[in-house]
Every structure is written in C-alpha cells, then in structure tokens.
Amino acid sequence: LMEAIKGEISGEDKERVGTLLKMDILPMGEKLAVFLPQHLINQLHYAHNYLAKAMDEFKENYMEVEVGAVQKHGQPAMGKGIVELTEKHVAAWSAVEDVVKLMKSLFRVQSKGKYKTKADVLRSTWAELLKRVGKPVPPLMRSCSRLWSCFQLSARASLDTTGASL
C-alpha cells in the first residue's frame, strides 16, 4: 500500500504524503486527538447529508446507469467543494488573526508601560487637573470602593472649593 501511495502521487501532494509517512505511528490503545473548526465541519456535514438525501431521491426516479454517471461526476465535485470551503475558512481565519496581531501590537506600543491600571490613568488625570486649575485640589479619596466615583467626588469638591471649571 505504501509503495502504491508513493508511486501514484506527484508534486505538492507527494511532499505532504512524505511528511505524513515520516511521522511515527501511535502505540496501540493511545488516543489520537484532532482539533477541527466546528462551524466548517458542520457545513461539510450539512452538505454531505443534503447530497446523500438528494442522491437517494435521484436513485428512486432514474436508472442505474444515470445514477452511476451522476455519482461519478458528483464525488469529485464534492471534493472540490470541500477544498473550496476549507480554503475560504483558512483565508478568513488568517485575515482575522492578522487583525488581532495588529491590534495587539497597537495596544502594546501605545501604552509602553505608562499606564498599567485604571488607578494610574486616574492619578495622571488628577495631576493634569492640578496643573490646569492652578489652585490646590483635594487629594484623591482612597476610601472609595470605585475609582471613578472617587474621581467624581473629588472633582465636585474641587469645583466647590476653587470655583474653577473642568
């Protein structure tokens, strides 16, 4: 069987089969796990079931010669459909992954460690508020459970005492 596989295949497929043949065979009883994209597999199952049902109906209404001709041409078409769906899935997945990598790099470059938490952002905002108002502002209230409510309370207190506007 291995010799037949090696002899009949050429080109790109020969390279793929070669890499598969170099892989070790799992010991008996060891489970093989293959992870596949569920939505792609669901599409392929639906297409297979739809075509199988259509073929059963076709067999009831036509002669065996016609059914054989349809099966002969239908199987390669199904194979091409599987390849096309898989290529489209891989292309879409790659496009999404490229955007994800771009977004990750964008956010990684933007912060450069300047703001690590929401509290850091709040402190820098408070320091900028101190520069703009020109008068002393009350310190951030550390007893608040929510930082944003602390900011609002402190800002109101600042407006009440200084008469300045944000």
Side-chain angles (χ1 to χ4, degrees):
L1 179 65
M2 295 296 220
E3 291 173 12
I5 289 173
K6 289 179 184 177
E8 292 179 15
I9 298 173
S10 63
E12 213 175 277
D13 294 332
K14 191 169 189 171
E15 293 174 18
R16 290 180 188 162
V17 169
T19 56
L20 289 174
L21 292 175
K22 290 177 187 174
M23 296 171 72
D24 291 334
I25 297 174
L26 293 176
M28 188 117 171
E30 190 172 325
K31 292 185 178 180
L32 173 67
V34 178
F35 299 100
L36 301 170
Q38 185 176 6
H39 54 281
L40 175 64
I41 298 302
N42 288 343
Q43 286 178 337
L44 295 176
H45 278 291
Y46 176 79
H48 177 273
N49 292 337
Y50 180 80
L51 289 174
K53 184 179 176 184
M55 184 53 75
D56 289 341
E57 291 176 6
F58 189 79
K59 284 179 184 178
E60 292 175 4
N61 299 323
Y62 293 92
M63 289 196 239
E64 206 168 306
V65 175
E66 294 167 324
V67 171
V70 169
Q71 285 179 336
K72 181 181 176 187
H73 295 292
Q75 289 175 348
M78 182 66 175
K80 288 178 184 178
I82 290 171
V83 169
E84 185 179 335
L85 280 174
T86 305
E87 286 174 349
K88 286 183 179 182
H89 169 76
V90 168
W93 181 82
S94 297
V96 169
E97 276 302 307
D98 291 343
V99 171
V100 167
K101 287 177 185 175
L102 177 69
M103 290 296 176
K104 283 182 179 179
S105 67
L106 174 70
F107 285 110
R108 201 175 303 125
V109 171
Q110 265 186 341
S111 66
K112 290 277 188 184
K114 189 174 182 181
Y115 305 117
K116 297 190 189 261
T117 64
K118 291 178 185 176
D120 293 336
V121 173
L122 189 60
R123 284 186 203 107
S124 65
T125 305
W126 203 249
E128 189 64 30
L129 177 67
L130 183 67
K131 291 177 190 174
R132 304 250 176 176
V133 171
K135 296 181 182 179
V137 291
L140 284 171
M141 302 165 85
R142 302 248 181 235
S143 62
C144 292
S145 61
R146 294 187 180 136
L147 288 176
W148 181 247
S149 61
C150 292
F151 177 72
Q152 289 175 328
L153 289 173
S154 297
R156 279 192 212 124
S158 172
L159 289 175
D160 292 341
T161 58
T162 63
S165 63
L166 295 175

